[in-house]
Amino acid sequence: MVNIEVERVFIGGGCNRIVNNVSWGACGLVSFGSQNAVSIFNPQTAKILTTLPGHKASVNCTHWLPNSKFAYKASDWEKHYLLSGDAQGVIVLWEFTLAENKWRYVSQLEVSHKKGVTCITAVVLSRNEAIFASTSSDCVVNLWKLALSDGAGDCTIINLHSLSTGLKPMVTLSLAELPGSTTHLILAMGGLDNKIHLYCGERTGQFVRACELKGHTDWIRSLDFSLPLSLTGEPHNLLLVSSSQDKGIRIWKMVLCDSAGNFDKTKAVNSLAYYIKGPVFVAGSFSYQVSLESLVIGHEDWVYSVEWQPPSLKENKTCYQPQSILSASMDKTMMIWQPERTTGIWVNVVTVGELSHSALGFYGGHWSPDGDSILAHGYGGSFHLWKNFGSEIGNWKPQKVPSGHFAAVTDIAWGRCGEYLMSVSDDQTTRIFALWLNEAKLRGDDTWHEIARPQVHGHDINCLAIIQGKGNHRFVSGADEKVARVFEAPLSFLKTLNHATSNLHDDLQVDVQVLGANMSALGLSQKPIYVQASSETSERSGNEGFDTLETIPDAVPSVLTEPPIEEQLAWHTLWPESHKLYGHGNELFSLCCDHQGKLVASSCKAQSMSVAEIWLWEVGTWKAVGRLQSHSLTVTRMEFSHDDKYLLAVSRDRHLSLFFIDQTDQTSYQLLTRQEAHKRIVWACSWNPFGHQFATGSRDKIVKIWEVQKESCVQLMTLPAFKSSVTALSWTGLHEHNNNGVLAVGMENGLIELWSLSFANSEQDSSISPPKASLIIQFDPFMCHVSSVNRLAWRISTKDDGSESMQLASCGADHCVRIFKVSFV
């Protein structure tokens, strides 16, 4: 076990549900905040490539330097940069080297905001220089100059100016170079006072107020400057697009007037032209006239983002700014707007969106650097990507994107044969991730996707147990309610799984008469849709019956022949609920199933011994066959030994309990021992697959190894203290080394370690040769979670040459599900 390799196979995670969170870089990668991490994904492969640890609070906004707007300047850049701001006001700069595909934490800005950062914008002046602005709910806008390193040198960041915006904070910013001027920049800001504020300043100094633009009647949500473009033969026109919660989009034109030497501001302000045409402002030796170019109406809800199509380089190396604007709204649509050639009136030329009833609109929309793709992120933490396969306006088709939970992931479990990974979360969903084999063969690498969303609930889901043994795929989930729910795989899922994994389950499909499931609008239960009923429904006309609150559009369970997109997942992949398990007095907290698939154990949140009892349920009849009393506070984790003789439970009361389970005739149980295990809450436990040893992990940063001896348990050893609370454990055996194992340890700081454990071959020898433990590897922090690891789970596969390749799945409070490949060479 000297040579060990760990590689990251998959990251599944959702996007923080906040405006300005997503940025599409000139390098083609997309950045977004996922809880405390900055996540990076590649739209070409629909894979999350990495997560960057460094923030201590939720990431609110990210911004690439250069982003897609400045892609025409960055065709030969070797290094790209990323800014990220969080809910505590901290801004971090990252460096990405294209050739090596490596990330580096550069620095944290010294003059940070006192409250959460809400927007970052930047203008890239040259390969070595950029100016960016940040705004926060502390009513301050900071301007910075960034000298980018061209080679070995480091970046330097200078704070140019801090602007106070009074009592109402600004929520959106945009920066641009003023047309005709090589020294002056213009900063537009908008926020809660419904006005757009323009400030001018030199690249090196302070910014001064230029003018205000009035017109919007609600909060201003997004601003974006175009590159200077030529309109009707006039050179040097700068366009600004703004969107608001008043559902409207406005386009403002800034025209270069004569030089400022011939300009009398007081006279201009009092003139009639000032009120008709709009305000005039001076910057350096030039003056500019601002006027409203167009008012664009079409969305039915708040317009959260507007963005100009990125400029492109023509063959003669001149830069061309297309007159095309992308808007994203809470009305579940994104629209592309362009002026008509004859009238110049801005019209909607493309509309894409999400028709699912479960969607609640888009927080932002973004262009790809070449303008042939558009990306939205929505209320459900989800991404939506469309690509243009046609001519100018063309044929926009939805594409695959990464997906995952948008709240803490509380539990995971592998399918019975390891063909999929199931996870549950505080985002009130259960999700299934699987390797899509056909796609993997084409690409030559592991391509995991979310293939189903079996449960969409009304409560945060805390725990999960997949029923082992033969028969159809079933699982039990427990949420912030007093009921455990049992679900059974429908026919549509079994057929989808065949397409994904090529593991034929024809024997199961014969008996399954349920095609999928439907959800009632005001209920929490998922009702089955039967194969026969489904065909009858499709034959009937769609106008029958009345539309009441109790009915929502019927789901159409479909067999997926390629990885699904969000619309399919959210509605058409539900599993029917077969049973409810009543008995607990509080919210469910932990579940586990034995290895034969005969018993399920459940526990709930508890403050007293009577509520903290463990219930045993018989699989199939779903009768309660036992109520095990031992603990006085919440039982945090339970696990059956691999021969199903013992049930181990650990609790908030710092104790462990060991029960003997006898299933020979009728299920009977007996408490063998209850003893104090740790000085703080015990969060995790795990059995040795080849023996009756087990490990416990606690908030006291200690992992202890125990052994069952003569109807009691004895502590064998204590691992050296960890740097953080131990929150997850998973023990796996190595088949060629009997009684040797690998223990995965997950911690509150997000890090994961693997430890080697070896024991004597029999209980008698243990006194002569004590067990040994040694650290094998600490995972690279860039591969790990950025906050607490909630659960770890091993999946083992043996290769043809006899070497073992194991996969370790983990889930955490950072909204992520991760899969690692661990190879012993």
Side-chain angles (χ1 to χ4, degrees):
M1 293 208 305
V2 177
N3 295 325
I4 184 168
E5 292 175 1
V6 176
E7 61 181 282
R8 181 173 42 217
V9 173
F10 170 73
I11 303 173
C15 181
N16 286 344
R17 303 192 292 170
I18 192 163
V19 188
N20 301 325
N21 188 22
V22 175
S23 178
W24 199 325
C27 57
L29 302 180
V30 174
S31 63
F32 65 96
S34 181
Q35 209 243 2
N36 294 5
V38 179
S39 298
I40 310 295
F41 91 80
N42 184 346
Q44 257 75 41
T45 59
K47 281 178 77 168
I48 297 178
L49 304 177
T50 188
T51 53
L52 309 177
H55 286 281
K56 292 184 172 62
S58 182
V59 175
N60 283 352
C61 49
T62 63
H63 191 87
W64 277 97
L65 292 173
N67 65 353
S68 55
K69 184 177 182 177
F70 295 98
Y72 71 96
K73 285 187 177 182
S75 55
D76 58 345
W77 283 33
E78 294 167 9
K79 291 184 177 179
H80 289 243
Y81 296 86
L82 181 67
L83 291 158
S84 56
D86 68 25
Q88 287 180 351
V90 173
I91 299 175
V92 173
L93 177 67
W94 310 86
E95 179 187 88
F96 176 57
T97 310
L98 249 66
E100 299 172 12
N101 196 24
K102 276 196 174 172
W103 283 91
R104 184 171 74 88
Y105 176 100
V106 180
S107 65
Q108 178 183 318
L109 273 62
E110 289 179 7
V111 185
S112 60
H113 292 278
K114 292 183 174 65
K115 291 184 180 175
V117 182
T118 52
C119 183
I120 298 173
T121 188
V123 57
V124 175
L125 304 172
S126 70
R127 182 191 282 264
N128 301 322
E129 187 182 8
I131 288 181
F132 69 92
S134 61
T135 183
S136 155
S137 24
D138 63 3
C139 301
V140 170
V141 175
N142 282 325
L143 285 129
W144 316 78
K145 183 176 180 180
L146 175 61
L148 303 171
S149 68
D150 191 11
D154 222 338
C155 303
T156 55
I157 305 168
I158 303 162
N159 183 235
L160 290 178
H161 194 193
S162 287
L163 296 165
S164 173
T165 62
L167 297 173
K168 296 195 173 177
M170 297 293 130
V171 294
T172 179
L173 305 171
S174 186
L175 263 174
E177 295 179 85
L178 273 169
S181 170
T182 55
T183 57
H184 279 72
L185 299 176
I186 183 163
L187 169 68
M189 56 176 84
L192 278 58
D193 62 358
N194 310 347
K195 299 174 193 168
I196 298 168
H197 303 269
L198 296 182
Y199 282 76
C200 290
E202 293 186 51
R203 296 181 178 189
T204 53
Q206 296 201 335
F207 278 64
V208 292
R209 181 189 292 273
C211 61
E212 289 177 354
L213 306 179
K214 298 176 184 174
H216 286 294
T217 57
D218 206 337
W219 291 10
I220 290 161
R221 276 298 181 175
S222 183
L223 294 165
D224 191 32
F225 278 112
S226 70
L227 283 192
L229 58 132
S230 176
L231 287 175
T232 61
E234 300 172 359
H236 303 314
N237 285 319
L238 188 65
L239 293 185
L240 171 68
V241 61
S242 62
S243 72
S244 162
Q245 289 180 185
D246 64 10
K247 307 175 191 174
I249 298 167
R250 288 171 182 256
I251 300 167
W252 310 83
K253 181 169 73 173
M254 290 166 204
V255 182
L256 175 62
C257 304
D258 52 1
S259 64
N262 307 324
F263 172 69
D264 182 355
K265 188 173 181 183
T266 54
K267 189 176 175 184
V269 167
N270 296 325
S271 68
L272 188 62
Y274 183 91
Y275 293 98
I276 296 170
K277 292 182 180 175
V280 178
F281 65 88
V282 179
S285 56
F286 297 100
S287 64
Y288 300 87
Q289 175 98 45
V290 188
S291 58
L292 180 65
E293 172 76 6
S294 186
L295 171 62
V296 182
I297 300 289
H299 284 293
E300 295 172 3
D301 208 336
W302 298 358
V303 187
Y304 263 136
S305 90
V306 279
E307 194 172 281
W308 287 95
Q309 184 174 337
S312 52
L313 282 173
K314 290 183 174 177
E315 291 173 7
N316 60 359
K317 298 287 184 185
T318 57
C319 186
Y320 168 65
Q321 166 75 65
Q323 287 199 56
S324 182
I325 290 169
L326 174 70
S327 62
S329 163
M330 283 303 272
D331 66 6
K332 308 180 190 177
T333 63
M334 279 207 301
M335 295 182 179
I336 296 175
W337 306 85
Q338 290 175 358
E340 274 189 335
R341 284 181 183 160
T342 49
T343 62
I345 295 170
W346 286 76
V347 292
N348 167 27
V349 291
V350 174
T351 302
V352 294
E354 190 182 10
L355 299 173
S356 159
H357 79 285
S358 57
L360 285 166
F362 295 144
Y363 279 128
H366 303 273
W367 290 97
S368 65
D370 53 10
D372 72 345
S373 300
I374 52 176
L375 175 78
H377 67 106
Y379 182 82
S382 54
F383 286 106
H384 309 262
L385 178 67
W386 288 269
K387 190 176 170 74
N388 185 3
F389 289 95
S391 58
E392 276 188 37
I393 302 305
N395 178 18
W396 293 84
K397 291 187 176 171
Q399 302 296 297
K400 292 191 285 286
V401 285
S403 66
H405 295 283
F406 57 87
V409 189
T410 48
D411 203 354
I412 48 172
W414 286 101
R416 288 195 320 253
C417 305
E419 62 270 75
Y420 58 82
L421 180 70
M422 188 178 281
S423 60
V424 295
S425 161
D426 287 345
D427 70 2
Q428 307 186 345
T429 64
T430 300
R431 304 184 190 225
I432 291 179
F433 301 93
L435 177 65
W436 205 278
L437 277 179
N438 294 343
E439 200 181 31
K441 285 171 188 168
L442 283 172
R443 288 204 188 143
D445 67 345
D446 288 356
T447 51
W448 286 74
H449 294 279
E450 184 180 346
I451 65 162
R453 208 166 288 173
Q455 185 184 9
V456 177
H457 204 41
H459 294 286
D460 295 0
I461 309 175
N462 301 324
C463 49
L464 155 79
I466 288 180
I467 308 299
Q468 304 299 317
K470 293 181 180 175
N472 195 4
H473 299 267
R474 290 175 293 179
F475 75 92
V476 187
S477 72
D480 275 350
E481 52 176 352
K482 302 173 185 179
V483 186
R485 295 171 186 267
V486 185
F487 296 85
E488 189 156 335
L491 194 58
S492 57
F493 173 77
L494 297 175
K495 289 183 175 177
T496 298
L497 197 60
N498 282 358
H499 283 291
T501 62
S502 304
N503 288 351
L504 296 173
H505 296 275
D506 293 336
D507 55 327
L508 289 180
Q509 294 178 27
V510 176
D511 303 325
V512 177
Q513 291 301 307
V514 177
L515 186 63
N518 233 333
M519 168 108 46
S520 56
L522 300 178
L524 297 170
S525 300
Q526 293 170 194
K527 311 285 188 226
I529 299 173
Y530 293 97
V531 178
Q532 188 181 351
S534 172
S535 55
E536 287 170 9
T537 315
S538 58
E539 288 166 21
R540 277 187 278 143
S541 68
N543 298 325
E544 290 180 20
F546 294 100
D547 188 14
T548 68
L549 269 178
E550 287 295 333
T551 63
I552 38 183
D554 278 353
V556 186
S558 48
V559 179
L560 305 169
T561 53
E562 59 178 32
I565 56 175
E566 178 70 20
E567 283 82 344
Q568 294 165 307
L569 286 169
W571 191 227
H572 303 315
T573 59
L574 292 171
W575 289 23
E577 190 179 304
S578 61
H579 292 87
K580 294 183 182 71
L581 309 182
Y582 294 99
H584 284 289
N586 280 329
E587 302 97 318
L588 287 177
F589 196 84
S590 180
L591 284 163
C592 73
C593 178
D594 68 357
H595 298 82
Q596 300 171 59
K598 292 182 178 178
L599 283 181
V600 168
S602 62
S603 72
C604 71
K605 294 180 183 176
Q607 297 286 337
S608 64
M609 187 170 271
S610 58
V611 183
E613 58 191 6
I614 299 166
W615 285 60
L616 292 180
W617 310 88
E618 187 177 60
V619 173
T621 64
W622 296 111
K623 290 178 180 171
V625 293
R627 292 167 67 173
L628 287 57
Q629 287 196 339
S630 171
H631 294 283
S632 55
L633 294 174
T634 308
V635 173
T636 55
R637 192 84 181 107
M638 300 172 291
E639 197 172 295
F640 285 93
S641 62
H642 285 254
D643 57 6
D644 291 334
K645 278 187 180 178
Y646 302 104
L647 174 64
L648 171 66
V650 293
S651 165
R652 279 181 177 272
D653 64 13
R654 308 175 185 183
H655 285 66
L656 66 84
S657 295
L658 192 66
F659 297 90
F660 177 74
I661 308 290
D662 184 5
Q663 297 184 53
T664 47
D665 186 16
Q666 273 186 312
T667 303
S668 62
Y669 52 88
Q670 176 191 348
L671 174 63
L672 294 183
T673 181
R674 173 184 185 267
Q675 59 194 78
E676 186 173 348
H678 291 268
K679 301 293 182 198
R680 304 288 299 276
I681 292 172
V682 191
W683 281 126
C685 63
S686 186
W687 285 93
N688 175 4
F690 297 126
H692 287 145
Q693 297 88 12
F694 60 87
T696 58
S698 161
R699 185 180 276 175
D700 63 9
K701 306 179 184 178
I702 296 291
V703 171
K704 293 182 179 180
I705 311 297
W706 310 76
E707 186 172 53
V708 181
Q709 290 181 6
K710 297 172 186 172
E711 299 193 351
S712 180
C713 61
V714 177
Q715 184 182 330
L716 295 180
M717 64 190 302
T718 302
L719 300 190
F722 291 85
K723 292 177 181 173
S724 183
S725 301
V726 176
T727 52
L729 293 172
S730 185
W731 193 330
T732 185
L734 294 172
H735 287 284
E736 71 265 27
H737 306 286
N738 198 11
N739 255 3
N740 280 6
V742 176
L743 182 67
V745 181
M747 288 169 268
E748 196 174 31
N749 60 9
L751 299 181
I752 298 170
E753 294 183 4
L754 298 185
W755 284 74
S756 159
L757 300 172
S758 58
F759 297 91
N761 286 329
S762 68
E763 291 182 8
Q764 287 77 27
D765 296 342
S766 61
S767 55
I768 306 162
S769 60
K772 298 186 180 80
S774 59
L775 174 65
I776 308 174
I777 192 170
Q778 293 177 325
F779 286 20
D780 181 346
F782 276 79
M783 292 172 76
C784 294
H785 296 272
V786 296
S787 47
S788 182
V789 180
N790 285 337
R791 194 74 78 240
L792 294 165
W794 285 101
R795 168 205 193 195
I796 299 178
S797 59
T798 308
K799 295 180 190 169
D800 299 334
D801 59 4
S803 67
E804 279 184 310
S805 162
M806 301 189 290
Q807 287 187 330
L808 177 66
S810 67
C811 68
D814 62 356
H815 309 179
C816 286
V817 172
R818 294 165 193 264
I819 300 173
F820 306 95
K821 183 178 177 184
V822 180
S823 307
F824 294 96
V825 189

